Amino acid sequence: MKSIAAAVAARHGLRVRDLTGDNRVRHMAYARHEAMWEMRQVRRADGQPRYSLAAVGSFFNRDHTTVVYAERQHPKRVDKAVLSGDKSTAAPGVIPVHQTRSDTGGEQSRLGFAA
């Protein structure tokens, strides 16, 4: 989970502790939601999420319901940003890939992170 959080933080010019902290500034919250969404995209061999809602929430010092909210809102936010050309709500060039890479043979997220 740390590597995903670090990658998202770097894309947004933040530190991991900014994502795990209690700051609710919009750009930090959006980056936090993106990291939560990416963590939930990591799949086990049986197709289930590798990290539970509770585990992801705990990593960010949040409740599992915050992770549910992030899972629902992040894809909508990215789609809206891509359609409108607004780069302030999504990291530049970051468009979610909605298919699992099956050629790796191991656990892999939909974004290419090894589990």
Side-chain angles (χ1 to χ4, degrees):
M1 284 195 281
K2 271 187 163 179
S3 64
I4 294 172
V8 171
R11 279 197 304 262
H12 289 273
L14 301 171
R15 299 168 297 194
V16 172
R17 68 177 173 209
D18 293 330
L19 298 181
T20 60
D22 59 358
N23 197 324
R24 293 188 287 181
V25 175
R26 183 178 297 168
H27 72 277
M28 287 187 192
Y30 284 0
R32 184 180 305 118
H33 289 173
E34 181 180 331
M36 289 177 177
W37 181 85
E38 287 188 17
M39 286 178 188
R40 290 287 291 166
Q41 299 311 302
V42 177
R43 303 291 173 170
R44 298 187 313 223
D46 64 1
Q48 294 297 314
R50 175 170 171 123
Y51 304 114
S52 69
L53 294 169
V56 174
S58 178
F59 181 84
F60 290 100
N61 302 309
R62 301 291 191 284
D63 190 69
H64 75 279
T65 57
T66 304
V67 181
V68 172
Y69 180 78
E71 277 190 307
R72 291 180 182 161
Q73 292 301 311
H74 177 70
K76 292 178 191 177
R77 193 176 296 125
V78 171
D79 289 344
K80 183 178 177 183
V82 169
L83 290 174
S84 70
D86 179 12
K87 293 184 174 30
S88 66
T89 57
V94 177
I95 298 174
V97 177
H98 296 289
Q99 295 182 11
T100 304
R101 293 185 59 187
S102 59
D103 58 336
T104 60
E107 294 177 357
Q108 186 93 11
S109 81
R110 294 178 184 193
L111 297 175
F113 290 104

